[in-house]
Amino acid sequence: MSQTVLRNAVVYDGTGAEPRQEDVAISGDRIHRVGTVGRAEVEIDASGLAVAPGFIDVHTHDDFAAVVHPDMTFKLRDGVTTCLAGNCGMGCAPFAEASTFARIFHPHAALPEWTGYAGYLAHLDAHPPGTNIGVLVGHGTLRLAAMGSTAGPPSAAQMRRMKADLTEGLEAGAFGLSTGLVYEPGCYAEEDEIVELASILRGTGGVYASHMRDEGTGLLASVGETIGVGERAGVPVQISHHKAFGRAAWGLVEQSLRLIEEAQARGVDVHADQYPYTAGSTVLSAVLGRTLGSGEPLRLADIVIASTAAHADWEGESIPSLAARLREEPTACIARILAEEPDATVIVHSMDERDVSRVLRHPSTMIGSDGIPTLEGRPHPRLFGSFSRVLGRYARDQGLFSLAEAVHRMTGLPAGKFGLAGRGVIREGAIADLVVFDPARIIDTGTFEEPHSHPRGIEHVFVGGALAVRAGTPTGVRAGRALRRIS
Ligand code: ZN
Ligand code: CU
């Protein structure tokens, strides 16, 4: 078995413990030894560099990206070795409904077909991507398959169908259930429906992850509902992209963090994830629903087009500037975008930096990029740089928390929460998903104007012991696995 040694690295082991200088030996797909190691076939001088477990991106929409862009270099170059996909209610099965979501993110891609979550994971087994992929079962997809876009509660037969598809996913190895309660059709589901479905996870360790109903002025009620689902169903909870959306809601995260603390004190296993930016990104149609909903409306100037199927020249323009260029009123312009590009994605400048810092500092927060992997457009730069940004901007430059703590939030903490056995830690016998980075240089470099720019300071990335990034350059090796939860 081939042996590689990372010599004199500063080891951040993922537990949050203080770093220490050691050699790390890799043998096959495992960490063979941490300590003083003799000469090996491959020697990598890591003096002055940090080595950490490969980063775990707990909030992604990469199920289809792993199929259409299997090299996954946009993630590997940020140090990410594992992606949890299927968030916000959007799953990868049943295929017919899942592919309607997939076409939003990959409008021009030809997709192979699979049956169920088992079929999706088998596809990855046969065509390994660059990163490991685990999936959540998406409630929106289940509901679309069972009852189309109809509002109101499911019939008994429709509920049986959703449960059967959810069970299929869990038995195939999914890591839990996600909802997207602002999107069609998830928004039609009431709490009881979600509790009934989430109850199927009880005892399996599977997590209930939710893009909540209202992240604006209704944030606290939404956090209450989400934690309530977890308590009623008896399952762990993950609040997706924890934030206060829109000026009228700024500051509310102080209280939402308190709700999390109170629930944890009652024994609820509840955490959140966050992308480290003051702008979000989603489909335009979902944003307009929110501007018309409760609270202060968004400013149209804060909405910038990220990707379209056929209007590349619109990408990067705010609504008012596009309206001016097209010589239209802003409302007419929006109507035109929705008519010609119903699946257009946008970037929305909607958060307060102080809230972003408060949430990030809190020990309940993991890192989830929520990147939209539409590589052809101008996706939110979080797709490329979330992890480097937390380490460089927030841990090193702003001192929000220690580097060891930042690494823990992107490795050991999520591995424990989601049951990613053998990952997220550096210890003998663990799987050799590793990232070697320069703590003095690491930083994201993408901007909203030029998102396609990879972080600085990520030197080497190993996936299952295979070198996937060497000296900052992807090797083309696709050593990712389809991960299955073992219960
Ligand atoms: Zn979401
Ligand atoms: Cu999401």
Side-chain angles (χ1 to χ4, degrees):
M1 221 179 288
S2 84
Q3 280 242 11
T4 300
V5 174
L6 299 170
R7 194 65 76 190
N8 291 320
V10 177
V11 178
Y12 290 81
D13 69 5
T15 66
E18 281 303 302
R20 48 188 205 285
Q21 189 164 322
E22 308 271 21
D23 301 333
V24 177
I26 302 165
S27 181
D29 68 347
R30 300 280 161 165
I31 296 168
H32 176 64
R33 193 172 149 67
V34 183
T36 311
V37 181
R39 288 207 71 77
E41 256 169 79
V42 182
E43 292 268 336
I44 295 179
D45 178 15
S47 316
L49 300 176
V51 58
F55 304 142
I56 297 167
D57 189 343
V58 293
H59 189 117
T60 83
H61 296 284
D62 289 339
D63 345 35
F64 286 85
V67 174
V68 302
H69 304 296
D71 55 56
M72 295 294 286
T73 52
F74 56 99
K75 285 298 168 74
L76 287 167
R77 297 182 77 168
D78 196 22
V80 172
T81 57
T82 296
C83 297
L84 273 180
N87 276 281
C88 300
M90 292 178 271
C92 60
F95 183 84
E97 289 73 22
S99 60
T100 65
F101 290 132
R103 294 208 192 288
I104 299 176
F105 294 165
H106 308 287
H108 307 295
L111 291 170
E113 199 167 331
W114 50 78
T115 303
Y117 284 86
Y120 172 76
L121 294 169
H123 176 90
L124 296 188
D125 288 340
H127 306 91
T131 62
N132 304 306
I133 302 281
V135 294
L136 300 169
V137 173
H139 162 262
T141 317
L142 295 183
R143 201 177 206 274
L144 201 56
M147 54 194 291
S149 292
T150 49
S155 68
Q158 289 166 336
M159 179 54 87
R160 270 199 304 279
R161 169 77 201 275
M162 285 196 276
K163 285 182 172 172
D165 286 340
L166 171 57
T167 302
E168 188 279 325
L170 294 173
E171 286 176 352
F175 289 83
L177 170 70
S178 79
T179 55
L181 302 181
V182 296
Y183 300 116
E184 273 217 322
C187 58
Y188 302 126
E190 287 175 17
E191 190 176 322
D192 286 347
E193 171 182 331
I194 301 164
V195 170
E196 189 167 346
L197 289 168
S199 298
I200 295 192
L201 307 175
R202 187 186 303 151
T204 68
V207 173
Y208 170 60
S210 183
H211 178 153
M212 303 183 296
R213 253 178 240 285
D214 190 340
E215 298 176 316
T217 50
L219 176 66
L220 302 180
S222 287
V223 170
E225 179 187 15
T226 309
I227 291 172
V229 168
E231 286 190 284
R232 289 174 63 197
V235 299
V237 174
Q238 182 79 0
I239 291 170
S240 297
H241 36 64
H242 191 182
K243 66 161 96 56
F245 180 96
R247 279 161 200 277
W250 287 3
L252 283 180
V253 297
E254 219 159 324
Q255 291 158 71
S256 57
L257 289 167
R258 200 142 320 127
L259 292 177
I260 291 175
E261 288 167 10
E262 287 165 10
Q264 287 179 336
R266 291 197 298 276
V268 187
D269 178 354
V270 52
H271 293 84
D273 51 70
Q274 182 193 28
Y275 49 84
Y277 297 83
T278 53
S281 183
T282 187
V283 286
L284 175 62
S285 51
V287 173
L288 295 172
R290 279 188 275 193
T291 60
L292 302 173
S294 68
E296 196 179 326
L298 285 168
R299 297 185 305 201
L300 292 179
D302 291 337
I303 303 175
V304 179
I305 297 168
S307 73
T308 59
H311 290 89
D313 61 309
W314 293 1
E315 291 164 2
E317 290 227 58
S318 72
I319 303 282
S321 82
L322 180 63
R325 184 156 71 77
L326 300 176
R327 297 177 196 284
E328 278 174 349
E329 286 302 308
T331 45
C333 178
I334 290 171
R336 172 165 172 184
I337 301 168
L338 289 175
E340 294 182 29
E341 292 284 348
D343 298 330
T345 65
V346 291
I347 286 160
V348 190
H349 297 273
S350 59
M351 285 167 258
D352 184 4
E353 177 73 31
R354 284 167 300 184
D355 284 348
V356 172
S357 299
R358 264 185 213 123
V359 170
L360 190 53
R361 203 185 301 124
H362 197 267
S364 65
T365 304
M366 304 175 194
I367 314 306
S369 69
D370 200 12
I372 296 180
T374 310
L375 301 181
E376 300 79 14
R378 260 196 249 201
H380 190 304
R382 67 192 182 186
L383 179 67
F384 304 96
S386 289
F387 290 78
S388 303
R389 184 172 170 89
V390 168
L391 295 169
R393 176 181 164 92
Y394 289 102
R396 181 194 58 223
D397 296 346
Q398 296 188 11
L400 210 62
F401 43 25
S402 69
L403 210 52
E405 174 68 11
V407 167
H408 173 59
R409 306 281 200 84
M410 36 183 86
T411 58
L413 183 63
K417 173 92 184 191
F418 288 91
L420 301 167
R423 297 178 204 272
V425 287
I426 294 184
R427 76 160 99 82
E428 289 166 18
I431 296 163
D433 291 345
L434 296 167
V435 51
V436 180
F437 64 95
D438 183 343
R441 285 179 63 236
I442 192 163
I443 198 71
D444 61 304
T445 61
T447 61
F448 291 101
E449 293 71 35
E450 290 295 335
H452 291 268
S453 177
H454 297 288
R456 260 198 300 275
I458 299 281
E459 300 296 328
H460 313 296
V461 180
F462 293 85
V463 178
L467 200 51
V469 174
R470 180 195 290 125
T473 305
T475 61
V477 167
R478 285 161 38 187
R481 297 270 176 85
L483 302 184
R484 293 171 173 86
R485 219 182 57 75
I486 307 150
S487 51

